[in-house]
Amino acid sequence: MTDYALEIEHIPTVGNGEGLLKVRTGEFRAALAEPSLCALLSAELVGFSCTGEAEYTLHGQPYFPRSPRAALKKGVAVVTPEGALAGDLSLTDHIRLLPGMLCGKKKAREKAEALCAAYGFSADWTAPAGALSAGDRYRGEILLALLRNSEILVLCQPEAALTLLELEQLSAGLRKACQQGKTVLLLTCRTGAAALADAYDALSPEPDDTPPGRLDIAVGSVVLEARNLTGNGLKDVSFEARTGEILAIAGLPGSGKQALLDILTGTLTPKEGRLRLNGREINDYSVRERVRAGVACMPGTDRDCGFPLESVSVRESMALRRYREPAYQESGFLRKGEMGRYAGDVLTWLNIQPGEETSAENRRRCALTRETDGNFHALAVLDPTKGLGEAAARDIWNRLITLRDERRAVVLLTSDAREALLAGDRVLTLYRGEITGAFDPAVTTEKELGLYMTGRRQGGEERFDEE
Amino acid sequence: MTFTASLSLFFAALLLGALAAAIAGRGGRSLYALEGVMLTGGLTGVLLSHEPAGVSLLAAGGAGAAAALLWGLPLLRYRRNQVLAGIAFNGFAASGAMIAAQIIGGVSYTRKGYWLEIAGENVTVFLPVAMAALLIVWLLVHHTCFGLRLRLCGQSPAPERMGLRVRVVRGFGLLLAGFLGGIGGLSALLSLGGGWRMAWGVGGLGYAALALAWAGKYGPFRAFGLALLLTLLYGAAAWFGAPESVQTALPILAALILLAIAGRKRPAEERMEV
Amino acid sequence: MKNKGFRSFGRSLLCLCLGLLLGAAVMIAAAWLTLGENRWETVWREGLLPLFTGGWREGPLALLGRAAPDAVLSLGISLAWQGGIVQVGGAGLHALGAAAAMLCASLAGLPWYACLAVSALAGGLWGSVPGLLKVKLRLREALGTALTAWLAIYVLQAASTMIAWEQPAETDLFIPALAIAGVLALLIWLGVKFTVPGLDLRVLGVSEKTARYAGVDTGKTAFWALCLSGLLGGAAGGLDYLLGGANQLPDLSLALTGPGLHGLAAAALAGGHPLGAVAAAVAVKYLSLGAGTMNGAVFSPEMGEAILALILYCCAAFALGPGKGGRKA
């Protein structure tokens, strides 16, 4: 009998370390890994998939759960940023369903409050989970795992739902839980988050925090101007994107980035507010007219970008935004040859081998190239590096910076404070549809930015998340 | 059959069908097979219509539950293609009913056993059964642990992660839905009158009930209200002496219109589907 | 690409075989309940053998010609399918088309092609109703098409007391019908694959959001997809009448089984591919013609419908569906 609560061997790391992860009972340990590896490990730990590569040992016994239920029975609870809470049910309702609660509303509430008092957590017990912020949902799921008496808590990519500061507060509570015999494994791709644990293993190269290099150019004229955008979850959002700068707008999931992108793309009309491109009103422009006028947009998921590659071929995906232009169609008929040639050119240019088009990294690169190839003035991208590894993310950032150096305006909508600071020339924070501050990335820390992403406002110290 | 009797049978059929669709919907599956479930249950009940009403009702419910589970078996864990599965099941139920009828050698049934004497009035048993079902469904879905589990199954993006036996919970939900749907089917077959033929299924009432459940956002009392509205329409058509097919078509048209009006408001379970 | 095609073909074949297997089980069960002796032999001689060979009885031309209406209907369903739209109202469209063609032929005495055009128009108009409701009021098309189909059939049933049914003047239309189905299949395949509206439709099939980001007018595309699929459904009904396939004014017995089910089964077997839909329609018609030649005293004439329903059920359970096929949860 070893004193390791959880051992993972033969982790498929990409040439970093021996792929070994050992967590002692009562330890708060972190593992630094690329997002894809985090997702793989959490899926295997929770029992959703089994690739057979990594070998898991739980208290000296082989551990290969066949379902999430089996994993929970063995005392392993996994929390992921995607979440599993039901939208209409409150946290109390979820707690009532835990084993031993017998559905008692009062009992559930009491136990939950006792737990919160013990670990210093707080939560909204009665609001429907759908109305909570992503961070509150994440914390709620941790509470559920603790109330379930799970011995081992695996937290996957908490940085996707929580800011660094929130994570720090959370880790104090988790440490208390560890002292009472729980074991916590934090799977993260960020050094800052991993360092919060007692110790961490680097399964992937540690990301360095030096900003990617960029030309020192003067900021030019205003290209894209948004004034008082209101509606669809946004409240009076105004910003200006200028040539030669990357304007990063950082907001946690649910803060309104998606609505902002939709408004810029033209798939959503705001209740109020105006959009101007080079001084011209583009409010009434359709999606196609905006593309022609020079607004390029890259949605946040591959599916939205049109890269599922099921019923639409690669070459059609590559021409998705422009297949109505004369270059790709002749009186209604698609010029498939042209499309194929263009797709081939892009793949060659990006140095993508045939058969590798479908990797997450290459899809993103293809999407970005597709949107930015041609004559455009302003580009809006939503979470361009979500789920990508460090090297791929840097590649995307460098591309954005190249565009900026070519004196285009880039709006980078991101949920990642680090990305905003590394790639942005100017950072705005978005919280519940409101702009809460403007920052210079050179003199701002990630923690500070996180504070404003969770409700603090510049010019006033009131916090809005404690309603 | 008196006018009020036919109305109450029709109403009970719609309400029970809508409740069945609502329960299945709460578990995250749209009961497109309701027509087939109602037909299966109804036929079983009708075949036993010479037995005591309780036996007939229970048999109808049991057959409906089995039918619903049969439809839902491949859909318990993954959504797959519930629409096509539903259409296929309805077709199978209709042809299966005719095959069964041929094997048995014709279906003869009676409406005699299904009446109760309440306060001097002759009332069909389906009316109290439907009202009881309404209360039970409301209590079950909104005030019990099973209801919570069912709603979690329908609303959570990954209900397995909450430690739920998703297949079991959904399976029970479907069984219950099928039970109600089967009894509703019996009521529907009894209401449809003389010229009814096996191949007609329950005359589209299953689809209408599904539309009601959707339009009422799976709320049992909303389903009750909408079913009442459709029954009034059915009654009005009969009152003015419309031919029987028009009389049944009118509620279907109304269900379509109601669903179109409610189109933008969708239950949370259904938002998960998109 | 080739690989993918083969895989989906294999999956369709698997669904077909599984459905047939289940159908055979139903037949054996039916024989068991009705017959005392020689059950196995009867199942084989009176049931399965006619089922698999009966389709040839009139020769290949008649088989292909009779399959043409089903092929056109399944083309309509496949067209909507390409846009991720579930068209399950085939029965109603078919019934309307048949009735319209009958009225044109018997009352106005129009030539067959004019009848066909009128029936297509009727189907198109009726098909655009759920299309309009979907676009304007966000009605889900799965239930919208089903309810409108029931309505159409109810209306025709109510009208059946007023209109006398007349069979078409005997015309040998197998070759034109076949040509129409073939040309339509080719046109739709080319249109979907090689034209701008076709790509619009396919992008809509990926997801509505993707289509909106790609600048596709989703409402218009969905509306025209449903309208065209209605048009084809109506034409299928007209063609069926003109070929002598419909022999009474449509009544409610066609709502759950019958041509609607056949068209849907063919489209599902083909996975929404227009050329595949024609081939699948021939297979479906072959089975349903074969089922018609089974010994009616032992096996109900509905046995064919039951088998086709089982095949469609297998397709659905194996996640061959428009758009949102096998996604999780």
Side-chain angles (χ1 to χ4, degrees), chain B residues 29 53 93 103 124 148-149 151 175 197 217 251 254:
Chain B
R29 295 290 175 268
I103 291 172
T124 157
L148 275 182
R149 291 212 165 87
R151 283 194 284 161
L175 275 179
R197 280 166 49 198
K217 290 203 282 174

Side-chain angles (χ1 to χ4, degrees), chain B residues 28-29 32 35 39 69-75 77-92 94-96 98-99 102-103 156-160 170 192 197 199-205 207-208 210-211 214-215 243-246 248-250 252-253 255-256 259-267 270 272-274, chain C residues 26 29-31 33-34 81 86-88 129 133 135-140 142-148 150-151 153-155 157-159 208 248 251-257 260-261 264 268 295-322 324-329:
Chain B
R29 295 290 175 268
Y32 285 98
E35 186 82 14
L39 179 60
L69 199 62
L70 202 65
W71 165 73
L73 221 45
L75 313 169
R77 179 131 181 229
Y78 302 113
R79 180 162 279 124
R80 302 198 197 271
N81 199 317
Q82 42 176 354
V83 185
L84 286 194
I87 304 293
F89 189 84
N90 293 344
F92 180 68
S95 49
M98 280 183 278
I99 294 170
Q102 192 196 18
I103 291 172
S156 165
E160 299 97 337
R170 269 205 192 112
L192 281 175
R197 280 166 49 198
W200 298 1
V202 286
L205 282 192
Y207 287 102
L210 182 58
W214 277 2
E244 194 172 7
S245 51
V246 173
T248 327
L250 217 54
I252 292 179
L253 178 65
L256 182 69
L259 187 62
I261 292 169
R264 278 175 199 281
K265 294 183 212 135
R266 298 183 178 195
E270 233 195 294
M272 291 294 308
E273 286 185 22
V274 186
Chain C
V26 172
L33 289 169
T34 47
W81 190 311
V86 199
Q87 163 68 281
V88 294
V129 171
L133 289 175
V135 173
K136 292 286 166 211
L137 294 165
R138 291 173 63 80
L139 176 79
R140 270 134 303 172
L143 207 45
T145 48
L147 284 174
T148 45
W150 276 99
L151 276 178
I153 294 174
Y154 264 115
V155 169
Q157 169 140 318
E208 200 184 322
Q248 57 169 17
D251 78 341
L252 284 176
S253 57
L254 294 177
L256 291 175
T257 57
L261 186 65
L264 209 54
N295 183 351
V298 185
F299 301 109
S300 156
E302 293 296 319
M303 201 58 90
E305 305 292 326
I307 292 170
L308 289 176
L310 285 170
I311 291 172
L312 178 60
Y313 182 76
C314 289
C315 286
F318 279 92
L320 295 167
K324 301 130 194 160
R327 208 152 2 122
K328 233 181 119 186

Side-chain angles (χ1 to χ4, degrees), chain C residues 134-226:
Chain C
K134 178 183 166 61
V135 173
K136 292 286 166 211
L137 294 165
R138 291 173 63 80
L139 176 79
R140 270 134 303 172
E141 72 280 354
L143 207 45
T145 48
L147 284 174
T148 45
W150 276 99
L151 276 178
I153 294 174
Y154 264 115
V155 169
L156 290 174
Q157 169 140 318
S160 66
T161 48
M162 294 171 250
I163 304 163
W165 179 264
E166 276 179 45
Q167 281 295 8
E170 201 54 45
T171 43
D172 190 22
L173 288 176
F174 284 151
I175 291 172
L178 203 57
I180 287 171
V183 167
L184 278 176
L186 213 59
L187 275 182
I188 288 171
W189 179 66
L190 289 174
V192 164
K193 206 157 162 59
F194 294 103
T195 67
V196 171
L199 186 52
D200 282 354
L201 189 65
R202 274 184 296 145
V203 174
L204 181 64
V206 172
S207 90
E208 200 184 322
K209 227 167 142 193
T210 310
R212 288 228 303 274
Y213 282 128
V216 174
D217 188 339
T218 49
K220 217 162 98 182
T221 310
F223 172 78
W224 282 113
L226 271 167

Side-chain angles (χ1 to χ4, degrees), chain B residues 16-38:
Chain B
L16 285 167
L19 289 176
I23 287 191
R26 286 287 187 197
R29 295 290 175 268
S30 298
L31 196 56
Y32 285 98
L34 186 54
E35 186 82 14
V37 167
M38 284 173 85

